[in-house]
Amino acid sequence: MQNSQPIILLLISFFIYDRFLFQPIDAIGDLRIAYQWKEIDYDWPNDDVKKLFPDYNREDNLPLGLDIADNRIFVTVPRWRRGVAASLNYINLNDTRESPPFIPYPSWEAHEYGSGNGTPELISPFRLKVDRCSRLWVLDTGLVDIMGNPEQRVPPALVIYDLKDDTPLRKFIIPPDQRTADSFFANIAVEDYNCEDTYAYLGDLGAPGLVVYSWKLDRSWLVKHHFFHPDPKGGNFNVSGLAFVWTDGIFGMALAPTPDGYSTLYFHPLSSTMEFSVSTKLLRNPERINSPESFHEFQPLGSRGLNGQSSVSFIDPNTGVMFYALTNLNAIACWRPTNKFSLQQQSFVYVDNVTMIFPNDLKIDHKSNIWILSDRLPIFMYSRLDPDDYNYRILVGSTEDLIRDTVCSKDFDISSKNPDNSGMSFIDTNDIIPEIKKDREQHYNGAGVSDISKTFGSLIITMLFFLFLS
Ligand SMILES: *[C@@H]1O[C@H](CO)[C@@H](O)[C@H](O)[C@H]1NC(C)=O
Ligand SMILES: *[C@@H]1O[C@H](CO)[C@@H](O)[C@H](O)[C@H]1NC(C)=O
Ligand SMILES: *[C@@H]1O[C@H](CO)[C@@H](O)[C@H](O)[C@H]1NC(C)=O
């Protein structure tokens, strides 16, 4: 009995150390906040320009889509409400301010309604993509005052800029027979292995479909499939206690190159927990794509389970890992497409109840940095954002660091670990939060405090105990 006392004290001290010294453990993963804003303001050159935007109302401006070029971050500000100044902007990456003002792209004039006849160059894009050929692909919905009196100002279009001199290269209006009044083009993926023969995949979440655009042919075609539709049971969302129902079709799209010169497109509807895939060899073939035989060339991969709705996804060209956002869980997760699509083979890489409320876009640059924009969109839509709180953030981190010691790492040996502690098997259960905590602590311990410093901390507390007792 006498001899067991130090061991008991050691156990107690471990317990105390874990419980108190590092409280609160409220996040997993290693991302840095690059920028954060309470509200968005613009880099107004002078008062005369400001007068050209009489409807401007700071709280109407919510950043939503992003991508990175060499030294700029592009950010969209869709016209949810009337008071948006510029719907496409950038900030210089060398800007060291915490909340830099937005600089309209390509110019202030491109966003000005003008007197009477003016239709601006850009209306209301949601998402955009920088390709590896120095082009910026902007998918403009053409829809304004979306939450007030929605008006289709101009047809939805793809506007492509040359990033070398910021001039428009092309504007392609999505043909009327490839959309309906319900259409809503919210997301774009660009297959850019060949600069002259580039393809863009435009997701229509309102009238579920995929418009495939060929740069070489300067024409597009519409692809329809059951898998683009929302799941009738996948419409319940709950973001930080705010519950709502959405019925959105195809949304998340991630391209993985295949050796035949094409790609696998991994995709999922927003109101669904399912993931699907299809080869771009099929999508790129307008003759074959809508034939009855091609139906079965689309693959259902599996479900992320209850609460597993995902918004955006993106595949890191360097690690080959897919990163995707979990809207209900304030989380970013990973999956390696060469693995089976099971929850055991997926893992959280970042969870934070404050900084990751509604991850709305996610991109990975050529240096394998992951960039994530979170913006609390449901609170903006259905409640009210607190102008004194940080509401919008751009976070950045290394993909290698995020997947280290997870099932997505190439070196991870799933058989050597307790299957309950790896992957995301918890999502299938109703009681998600305790399981997230378990996962979080596991990651936190792995990524943050080293075992050595932990042991030292425990030893110090153990010594204090002995002093106290003696
Ligand atoms: C930041 O970059 C922009 C454009 O690349 C440049 O014009 C500006 O001078 C730079 N600012 C600083 C502080 O280096
Ligand atoms: C995270 O948010 C969920 C609900 O949104 C809550 O139940 C949970 O306690 C939060 N976790 C932490 C660590 O704050
Ligand atoms: C949404 O989640 C909160 C906890 O974060 C819970 O209290 C609430 O009941 C949920 N609402 C619905 C409708 O499921």
Side-chain angles (χ1 to χ4, degrees):
M1 278 308 284
Q2 293 275 0
N3 288 345
S4 66
Q5 200 185 40
I7 290 170
I8 289 168
L9 285 173
L10 196 71
L11 287 175
I12 290 172
S13 64
F14 260 111
F15 174 78
I16 289 179
Y17 185 83
D18 272 352
R19 288 295 291 251
F20 299 112
L21 290 193
F22 278 85
Q23 286 290 339
I25 295 176
D26 56 3
I28 63 164
D30 202 5
L31 288 178
R32 174 175 72 80
I33 294 173
Y35 299 106
Q36 57 181 349
W37 297 265
K38 293 173 177 170
E39 290 190 319
I40 298 301
D41 203 355
Y42 293 83
D43 191 18
W44 303 99
N46 54 53
D47 279 351
D48 290 343
V49 171
K50 207 164 188 172
K51 280 196 199 102
L52 297 170
F53 293 83
D55 289 334
Y56 172 63
N57 178 17
R58 199 187 269 227
E59 67 188 38
D60 290 358
N61 291 257
L62 171 127
L64 188 137
L66 95 164
D67 205 356
I68 314 302
D70 292 332
N71 41 29
R72 292 184 283 191
I73 305 185
F74 291 92
V75 183
T76 65
V77 183
R79 295 189 186 274
W80 287 111
R81 297 191 176 123
R82 290 172 53 83
V84 172
S87 58
L88 176 60
N89 306 276
Y90 69 93
I91 45 188
N92 285 313
L93 267 174
N94 63 6
D95 202 323
T96 53
R97 287 171 286 184
E98 178 181 52
S99 318
F102 283 10
I103 307 167
Y105 185 89
S107 62
W108 277 101
E109 292 72 40
H111 297 277
E112 205 190 292
Y113 280 84
S115 47
N117 58 346
T119 297
E121 186 172 309
L122 288 168
I123 303 282
S124 189
F126 273 60
R127 288 184 185 76
L128 73 183
K129 184 73 191 78
V130 173
D131 73 8
R132 46 169 219 90
C133 317
S134 286
R135 292 173 300 204
L136 175 65
W137 301 65
V138 183
L139 182 55
D140 192 347
T141 63
L143 196 63
V144 301
D145 204 6
I146 302 167
M147 288 174 58
N149 296 304
E151 184 198 348
Q152 190 75 47
R153 267 305 283 256
V154 294
L158 192 53
V159 188
I160 303 155
Y161 290 94
D162 184 347
L163 285 172
K164 291 194 286 288
D165 58 9
D166 299 328
T167 55
L169 290 169
R170 225 180 247 186
K171 177 170 185 171
F172 178 80
I173 294 173
I174 297 172
D177 61 346
Q178 293 171 25
R179 53 185 157 89
T180 74
D182 291 329
S183 283
F184 195 89
F185 290 91
N187 203 4
I188 177 171
V190 176
E191 196 180 21
D192 58 1
Y193 315 130
N194 181 335
C195 294
E196 299 314 312
D197 194 18
T198 300
Y199 288 82
Y201 302 95
L202 318 178
D204 183 348
L205 62 72
L210 187 69
V211 169
V212 180
Y213 171 77
S214 158
W215 169 266
K216 189 155 95 185
L217 303 174
D218 192 22
R219 89 180 173 88
S220 67
W221 49 94
L222 174 64
V223 180
K224 298 292 266 185
H225 199 277
H226 292 350
F227 294 167
F228 296 157
H229 287 253
D231 181 334
K233 297 201 300 284
N236 287 322
F237 290 79
N238 191 341
V239 174
S240 293
L242 194 67
F244 53 96
V245 176
W246 278 355
T247 51
D248 292 334
I250 178 168
F251 184 70
M253 295 185 286
L255 289 162
T258 45
D260 58 4
Y262 296 89
S263 312
T264 303
L265 176 73
Y266 294 94
F267 66 90
H268 54 256
L270 180 54
S271 300
S272 169
T273 61
M274 288 291 290
E275 189 72 19
F276 305 95
S277 72
V278 64
S279 166
T280 61
K281 189 172 184 175
L282 181 66
L283 298 176
R284 287 200 216 165
N285 186 332
E287 275 65 54
R288 221 160 66 76
I289 183 64
N290 286 321
S291 71
E293 304 82 66
S294 72
F295 184 90
H296 297 286
E297 294 186 40
F298 287 73
Q299 303 294 326
L301 298 178
S303 170
R304 286 174 295 268
L306 186 73
N307 259 318
Q309 286 101 334
S310 165
S311 53
V312 284
S313 55
F314 199 89
I315 291 173
D316 175 18
N318 288 342
T319 59
V321 170
M322 181 200 283
F323 292 84
Y324 61 88
L326 286 160
T327 46
N328 289 328
L329 302 175
N330 307 332
I332 305 297
C334 67
W335 171 60
R336 183 174 280 280
T338 49
N339 290 339
K340 201 168 142 251
F341 191 87
S342 66
L343 290 174
Q344 287 73 21
Q345 294 281 10
Q346 299 177 53
S347 179
F348 286 120
V349 296
Y350 187 87
V351 182
D352 194 300
N353 272 359
V354 176
T355 62
M356 204 42 81
I357 300 175
F358 214 76
N360 214 333
D361 206 355
L362 177 169
K363 296 278 164 52
I364 294 163
D365 67 18
H366 59 273
K367 288 180 252 163
S368 264
N369 291 311
I370 185 169
W371 297 83
I372 300 159
L373 188 153
S374 65
D375 66 8
R376 303 186 171 178
L377 174 65
I379 302 166
F380 172 87
M381 291 176 78
Y382 306 123
S383 174
R384 197 167 172 274
L385 291 172
D386 176 358
D388 295 322
D389 198 2
Y390 287 102
N391 294 303
Y392 319 121
R393 289 178 178 83
I394 293 176
L395 300 101
V396 63
S398 136
T399 55
E400 297 268 1
D401 290 350
L402 285 178
I403 62 172
R404 189 165 298 135
D405 299 325
T406 75
V407 287
C408 302
S409 159
K410 242 191 183 133
D411 316 317
F412 192 85
D413 178 7
I414 197 162
S415 60
S416 72
K417 308 267 172 169
N418 176 353
D420 283 347
N421 286 336
S422 64
M424 304 205 301
S425 42
F426 67 88
I427 284 196
D428 266 335
T429 75
N430 274 312
D431 196 3
I432 281 167
I433 300 308
E435 298 284 344
I436 288 183
K437 278 201 177 126
K438 189 170 81 188
D439 199 85
R440 173 190 303 134
E441 274 159 21
Q442 183 198 344
H443 278 259
Y444 185 84
N445 292 341
V449 197
S450 77
D451 286 341
I452 291 177
S453 65
K454 258 184 96 157
T455 310
F456 269 119
S458 299
L459 278 176
I460 289 164
I461 291 171
T462 309
M463 279 157 66
L464 288 175
F465 260 89
F466 276 116
L467 282 175
F468 180 74
L469 288 176
S470 59

